[in-house]
Amino acid sequence: IEWAYVSLLNHDRGAAPKLLENRLANNHDFFCELIRLIYASDKEEQICKETSGESNVIRNAFRLLSEWKTPPGTQQDGTFSKECFTDWLQSVKVSCSKSGHLDAALNHIGQVLIYTLPDPDGLWINRVVAAALNDRDADEMRIGFRKAKYNSRGAHWVDPTGKPERALAEQFRGKAEDIENAGFQRFAIILRELADDYER
């Protein structure tokens, strides 16, 4: 039922496809299937063959991934499992590397990770997620995270004084410092770039 009405279900309207989002967060095969539906493989030449029925499936898949706000590893009760997150991410990397969809998958993962809960020790993001975003091979995940963080502000009125932008720049510099002090230098660079964007 959620799949049939996914175009009407979004967080802004107060109705989200909770079962589908939980399935994405806990079933790496489902996530990889949607990625393969939407994106061409970088390992093979894509032949354009699309019927109207297929285009509706692709549209639903893209909408679901674009609106997804339940990070991998999130359990049914809302808690976060580090082990489930790590297993899910590793399985996606293996599957999407084989199919030639790794960059697209990592970018979408980075986008949903902006909704990760804080770490129990007080860091503003879970340390296991921060470590994944800091990995040497996580460039696309960091790009997705930065894009989603920037876009999460939504439509807004631009204050000619630039006061809100300066406040956001300061906020992201503080987050970058926290992340760097926690030992995640690559991730900190992305947050400083966000601060620079707002300052500009």
Side-chain angles (χ1 to χ4, degrees), residues 40 48 94 124 138 156 196:
C48 191
V94 170
W124 60 269
H156 57 278
D196 292 343

Side-chain angles (χ1 to χ4, degrees), residues 11 47 50-51 59 64 88 109 128 133 146 185 192:
H11 294 270
I47 300 166
E50 195 179 283
T51 68
R59 196 176 300 115
L64 180 59
W88 185 96
I109 294 166
V128 172
L133 284 160
R146 176 183 171 179
Q185 287 79 14
R192 286 201 174 89

Side-chain angles (χ1 to χ4, degrees), residues 66-72 85 107-118 124-126 129 133 141-153 172 175 187 190-191 194:
S66 299
E67 301 277 337
W68 183 29
K69 293 186 179 180
T70 306
F85 170 77
N107 194 287
H108 274 284
I109 294 166
Q111 291 178 50
V112 76
L113 291 182
I114 71 167
Y115 302 106
T116 304
L117 295 172
W124 60 269
I125 189 170
N126 190 283
V129 172
L133 284 160
M141 254 174 35
R142 288 190 289 273
I143 290 168
F145 186 93
R146 176 183 171 179
K147 177 172 72 173
K149 264 293 184 195
Y150 192 81
N151 290 340
S152 68
R153 190 180 183 193
F172 280 109
K175 288 186 172 190
F187 185 22
I190 286 292
L191 297 169
L194 265 170

Side-chain angles (χ1 to χ4, degrees), residues 21-179:
E21 287 210 1
N22 281 325
R23 189 171 176 201
L24 277 171
N26 292 287
N27 184 332
H28 75 274
D29 287 329
F30 180 54
F31 172 77
C32 294
E33 181 184 352
L34 295 190
I35 290 290
R36 287 192 295 268
L37 270 172
I38 300 167
Y39 297 99
S41 170
D42 59 20
K43 292 191 173 183
E44 55 193 45
E45 197 172 315
Q46 190 76 1
I47 300 166
C48 191
K49 50 174 181 54
E50 195 179 283
T51 68
S52 61
E54 284 173 336
S55 69
N56 286 337
V57 171
I58 293 167
R59 196 176 300 115
N60 275 4
F62 185 76
R63 186 181 296 273
L64 180 59
L65 281 179
S66 299
E67 301 277 337
W68 183 29
K69 293 186 179 180
T70 306
T74 304
Q75 305 301 291
Q76 295 280 355
D77 61 1
T79 59
F80 180 80
S81 166
K82 297 184 282 188
E83 295 78 13
C84 289
F85 170 77
T86 304
D87 292 346
W88 185 96
L89 181 59
Q90 186 55 35
S91 298
V92 167
K93 285 181 178 180
V94 170
S95 179
C96 289
S97 292
K98 286 179 184 173
S99 68
H101 296 87
L102 184 60
D103 284 351
L106 291 178
N107 194 287
H108 274 284
I109 294 166
Q111 291 178 50
V112 76
L113 291 182
I114 71 167
Y115 302 106
T116 304
L117 295 172
D119 197 87
D121 72 3
L123 188 65
W124 60 269
I125 189 170
N126 190 283
R127 284 180 184 272
V128 172
V129 172
L133 284 160
N134 193 64
D135 278 350
R136 186 172 294 166
D137 63 350
D139 284 340
E140 277 298 327
M141 254 174 35
R142 288 190 289 273
I143 290 168
F145 186 93
R146 176 183 171 179
K147 177 172 72 173
K149 264 293 184 195
Y150 192 81
N151 290 340
S152 68
R153 190 180 183 193
H156 57 278
W157 178 76
V158 177
D159 183 342
T161 68
K163 188 177 177 183
E165 284 70 28
R166 279 196 288 274
L168 283 165
E170 188 176 337
Q171 176 189 330
F172 280 109
R173 285 215 172 84
K175 288 186 172 190
E177 190 172 336
D178 291 343
I179 285 297

